[in-house]
Amino acid sequence: MQGQYTMGNTKAHHVTAFLSKVPFFSEVSDSSLDHLSQRVYMETFERNDTIFQKGDIGEAMYAVFKGRVKVHESKHVYGHLSTGDCFGEYALIDNQTRSASVTAVEETTVLKIERDSFIDLMSTDSGFAQGILSVMIKRHRELDAIQEHLAASKQEIEIGSAKMSGLINGAMDAIIMFNTEFKIVLTNPSAHRLLENKDVLQRNVLFFFDEESAKLLESLVKLRRDNSHTQNNYLPDVITVIGSEGRETQNEGTLSSYGSGKDIFFTLILRNIEERLKTEDKINLLTKRTQYLEEEIKELTSSYGILAEDPSMLEVLNQIQQVAGTDATVLINGETGTGKELVARAIHQASNRNGKPMVRINCGAIPANLIESELFGHEKGAFTGAAASRKGRFLLAEKGTIFLDEIAELPLDLQPKLLRVIQEGEFDPLGSSETIKVDVRIIAATHRDLLDYSAKGRFREDLYYRLNVFPIQVPALRARGNDLCLIAQEMIDQFSSKLNKPRVALSEADKALLRSYHWPGNVRELQNLVERAVIVSQNGTIEWSDIIPKEAGSGTVGKHPTSETILSAEQLVALERENILRALKRTQWKISGKNGAAALLKLSPTTLTSKIKALGIVRPV
């Protein structure tokens, strides 16, 4: 403070003019203000000088004549006052301690009006007293209006708060409010049920989430703290909540925030989606099963059944009837295109599982790094690209049948897992520690010699024997006699109807031509050639000689001679050798007995044994 002195006449005139503009003295006459000007003190303070401190006894009021001051308590600033503002008025009527400190924020001059001088003027100058009272009454009325407004606002706030409380407490969704330190400050009853705890205030909200969900919330909160704009985010991933009693639930939700600086609060709204996820899983499972059933129906309506008159194929049908009523594992052997899948389907349809799907999977058509997921399923994140959990084929085939075609192509490291399913009826999805029990009937098929594969270390011997409980050998088309012509005629009729072509009947010459071909692709090759033949047919006729492939290097059709071909002695020997080999392979090298090669060839066992030696036929190791 630089100085303190009483006003002179010239100075008092300027002070009177100043005081007339101060709201506190706005109703006081100029003559009375002249009297006051003679009694005030003018004091000047440097920057950061204290005018008075909180706790000081009040004995005067002040008016800022020039400059600026702050009203504060320690470091907390309530506000700033500048030219024309008054402070410390209550000291004019009592001697209570100051409720706050006042400090100059720049060089400031104030007018100091002491209580004794003020009271003396109030008692001796009626004009002064009347002006001050007018100001007080005006202020009182304004205060009444403010209080009425505040009372109305308070009532509105209370009504709004009651509505909000009712909304929050009655919400089915869990509502959790927390601060930037993740301390919970508000919850509703639904949150108590979700968290399995009613006493969660001031606890860290992250303790109630799994690690992945906690990291997600931390990242969103950090993003909000680093950016001033308010955010309202749908949570991008499902949130896993772990209650105080250990119950885990899956939830979706939103995170919103309000406030700024250190006073930011976050509102997390969570909705339990356990039932929805279960329903979605069930719908997905049923949808996939429906797709498989639709594929089965499509396959059934576009196939030709199993047409059989030849004893070799009738034996296959007999075996189907024998094994269908059991849950035994079946291994179907046969060349490519012989109809192994058709046999598997027949077993399924004749079994008590025919109300459930038969799920097919070609072990040779799926990359080795994906086949485990296809068979057994996987959990989200089990490998790169696994963005969501997936049910495997075994689970889709529950209570039904799974057909594993080309089983020889199953990777060696997956074979123990398949063996476990066969032996124990259980497996673990990829990336999961949960063991799943299944009730599935397994039918496998191959055109390979699995026993030979086993000896070479390319297929587990124990798995081979588990699959080979009931083996079925499907004969090649060329070995099925007149079945070839029956199947061809059925296919012709089917394609003629489908392609809107006239029906073509096979002549005896056509049949002989068909039988003369070796059919390395079996029924599948026959189907392709018949479809082509019907497409190019003209006026109800088919030139089969143009359709059936010719043997490379010759003008004759197929590998076998027609009825007009003259064979050399060497060719006859080769033909007989090939015929005996086919019979031995079909009977799995059994020579004598009812189902032996000798009976099939209509030879005595001794004669057949002699021919085998003479032709140098040796059973492969």
Side-chain angles (χ1 to χ4, degrees):
M1 184 174 66
Q2 291 182 343
Q4 174 177 320
Y5 50 87
T6 307
M7 300 289 106
N9 290 332
T10 303
K11 204 72 171 179
H13 177 72
H14 291 293
V15 171
T16 298
F18 170 76
L19 290 174
S20 66
K21 298 177 182 178
V22 174
F24 189 78
F25 302 106
S26 61
E27 300 296 325
V28 179
S29 65
D30 289 345
S31 60
S32 295
L33 287 177
D34 285 339
H35 296 157
L36 176 62
S37 299
Q38 298 294 329
R39 301 187 180 205
V40 301
Y41 295 90
M42 185 175 284
E43 298 178 350
T44 301
F45 296 86
E46 299 293 334
R47 181 184 178 190
N48 294 329
D49 282 350
T50 300
I51 299 173
F52 59 72
Q53 290 186 339
K54 179 180 179 181
D56 289 350
I57 300 298
E59 81 289 345
M61 72 166 284
Y62 297 84
V64 180
F65 187 77
K66 183 180 66 174
R68 192 162 173 260
V69 300
K70 66 179 179 181
V71 182
H72 63 98
E73 181 178 351
S74 186
K75 293 183 179 181
H76 180 73
V77 178
Y78 295 111
H80 292 82
L81 303 173
S82 55
T83 302
D85 292 329
C86 297
F87 56 92
E89 296 100 319
Y90 287 116
L92 297 176
I93 57 175
D94 62 39
N95 60 352
Q96 298 296 317
T97 57
R98 303 290 189 181
S99 60
S101 300
V102 179
T103 301
V105 295
E106 59 185 49
E107 184 179 317
T108 302
T109 300
V110 298
L111 298 180
K112 180 178 180 182
I113 305 169
E114 294 182 338
R115 182 170 58 248
D116 292 343
S117 298
F118 180 82
I119 293 174
D120 184 57
L121 278 174
M122 289 288 288
S123 61
T124 60
D125 187 336
S126 61
F128 183 80
Q130 184 178 353
I132 293 298
L133 287 173
S134 296
V135 171
M136 291 297 102
I137 291 171
K138 184 178 180 181
R139 283 192 174 187
H140 183 71
R141 287 174 178 170
E142 290 175 352
L143 182 60
D144 285 344
I146 291 172
Q147 287 178 335
E148 288 178 5
H149 181 70
L150 288 175
S153 299
K154 179 183 178 184
Q155 186 177 12
E156 291 178 1
I157 291 172
E158 288 176 349
I159 294 172
S161 177
K163 290 180 178 178
M164 184 62 70
S165 295
L167 182 64
I168 291 174
N169 291 331
M172 297 294 291
D173 295 338
I175 301 175
I176 304 169
M177 185 181 294
F178 58 92
N179 59 22
T180 54
E181 296 178 349
F182 298 97
K183 296 296 179 63
I184 299 174
V185 297
L186 183 145
T187 52
N188 69 339
S190 294
H192 298 158
R193 290 190 292 271
L194 181 66
L195 303 179
E196 299 181 313
N197 196 323
K198 294 182 179 180
D199 184 23
V200 296
L201 296 184
Q202 296 304 310
R203 294 186 64 180
N204 191 316
V205 69
L206 300 179
F207 291 165
F208 293 96
F209 303 109
D210 68 355
E211 184 177 355
E212 187 174 347
S213 300
K215 286 181 178 179
L216 173 62
L217 282 178
E218 282 185 300
S219 65
L220 292 175
V221 168
K222 182 178 184 301
L223 183 64
R224 171 63 179 89
R225 284 190 304 213
D226 294 343
N227 296 276
S228 59
H229 62 280
T230 302
Q231 292 181 333
N232 188 353
N233 293 323
Y234 283 100
L235 299 179
D237 297 316
V238 172
I239 297 295
T240 301
V241 174
I242 305 174
S244 294
E245 297 178 11
R247 181 170 65 97
E248 292 190 14
T249 55
Q250 303 297 304
N251 301 266
E252 66 179 5
T254 61
L255 181 68
S256 58
S257 62
Y258 67 93
S260 61
K262 295 182 179 179
D263 298 324
I264 300 178
F265 291 90
F266 298 87
T267 301
L268 178 64
I269 301 177
L270 296 173
R271 174 172 294 178
N272 190 320
I273 56 172
E274 292 278 310
E275 291 302 320
R276 194 183 81 188
L277 290 176
K278 290 179 182 177
T279 302
E280 287 177 354
D281 281 348
K282 190 172 183 179
I283 290 173
N284 289 335
L285 184 60
L286 291 174
T287 301
K288 289 182 179 179
R289 284 184 174 176
T290 301
Q291 291 172 348
Y292 278 115
L293 286 172
E294 288 175 348
E295 289 176 7
E296 286 187 19
I297 292 170
K298 182 179 178 181
E299 186 71 23
L300 284 170
T301 54
S302 63
S303 66
Y304 313 98
I306 299 178
L307 299 178
E309 287 183 354
D310 190 78
S312 63
M313 200 61 197
L314 290 176
E315 176 60 23
V316 171
L317 294 176
N318 180 52
Q319 290 177 312
I320 290 172
Q321 291 300 319
Q322 288 177 339
V323 78
T326 73
D327 280 336
T329 303
V330 178
L331 179 61
I332 304 172
N333 297 279
E335 294 180 12
T336 299
T338 52
K340 297 187 290 295
E341 183 177 333
L342 211 58
V343 172
R345 192 180 300 283
I347 294 172
H348 173 71
Q349 291 299 322
S351 73
N352 56 8
R353 295 175 178 265
N354 57 16
K356 299 294 182 179
M358 185 184 92
V359 177
R360 302 164 296 165
I361 185 166
N362 188 322
C363 299
I366 300 173
N369 61 330
L370 295 179
I371 192 167
E372 181 175 5
S373 171
E374 281 291 323
L375 285 172
F376 306 110
H378 65 257
E379 292 298 315
K380 178 182 177 182
F383 52 86
T384 302
S389 298
R390 178 178 181 179
K391 308 296 182 187
R393 301 288 181 97
F394 267 98
L395 200 55
L396 293 176
E398 174 69 12
K399 303 294 183 182
T401 303
I402 191 165
F403 175 53
L404 303 175
D405 199 8
E406 303 297 346
I407 189 64
E409 310 306 319
L410 185 69
L412 199 59
D413 58 344
L414 273 187
Q415 292 179 21
K417 203 163 186 176
L418 176 59
L419 185 63
R420 181 187 175 195
V421 177
I422 297 173
Q423 294 181 154
E424 302 173 23
E426 63 183 30
F427 64 88
D428 298 333
L430 190 61
S432 172
S433 58
E434 178 187 7
T435 297
I436 294 179
K437 302 287 285 187
V438 287
D439 176 14
V440 177
R441 201 256 184 88
I442 297 174
I443 300 176
T446 183
H447 68 281
R448 309 283 190 187
D449 186 342
L450 289 186
L451 200 56
D452 180 56
Y453 263 41
S454 175
K456 295 176 180 178
R458 298 173 64 181
F459 200 85
R460 290 180 63 101
E461 187 176 12
D462 51 358
L463 178 58
Y464 164 72
Y465 287 114
R466 282 289 182 180
L467 292 172
N468 201 44
V469 172
F470 194 93
I472 295 178
Q473 181 72 38
V474 181
L477 183 60
R478 59 184 170 274
R480 290 176 58 181
N482 196 53
D483 283 358
L484 166 63
C485 300
L486 290 175
I487 296 170
Q489 187 62 67
E490 178 67 18
M491 288 180 177
I492 291 170
D493 294 344
Q494 292 273 350
F495 282 118
S496 295
S497 176
K498 179 180 177 180
L499 300 172
N500 198 26
K501 288 274 194 173
R503 179 182 180 276
V504 179
L506 289 172
S507 66
E508 290 302 318
D510 293 336
K511 293 177 182 180
L513 201 57
L514 290 171
R515 283 193 292 264
S516 69
Y517 181 55
H518 187 61
W519 299 106
N522 293 289
V523 179
R524 187 176 296 120
E525 183 184 12
L526 174 63
Q527 180 180 353
N528 293 338
L529 292 183
V530 168
E531 183 175 11
R532 186 192 310 165
V534 172
I535 291 173
V536 301
S537 63
Q538 298 290 331
N539 302 320
T541 60
I542 296 174
E543 292 294 334
W544 288 103
S545 59
D546 296 333
I547 300 298
I548 299 174
K550 293 179 173 58
E551 183 181 7
S554 75
T556 60
V557 174
K559 292 176 63 178
H560 295 277
T562 66
S563 56
E564 297 179 357
T565 303
I566 299 175
L567 301 177
S568 66
E570 185 179 345
Q571 288 174 319
L572 285 172
V573 171
L575 185 60
E576 183 179 23
R577 189 176 189 279
E578 182 182 348
N579 192 49
I580 291 174
L581 271 173
R582 284 203 303 272
L584 289 171
K585 287 179 181 178
R586 185 185 305 177
T587 59
Q588 297 183 346
W589 293 83
K590 181 180 178 182
I591 295 176
S592 58
K594 179 181 178 182
N595 297 318
L600 193 61
L601 293 168
K602 297 186 176 357
L603 296 173
S604 67
T606 54
T607 300
L608 178 57
T609 301
S610 299
K611 286 181 176 290
I612 289 172
K613 290 181 179 179
L615 295 170
I617 297 173
V618 180
R619 180 175 183 173
V621 180

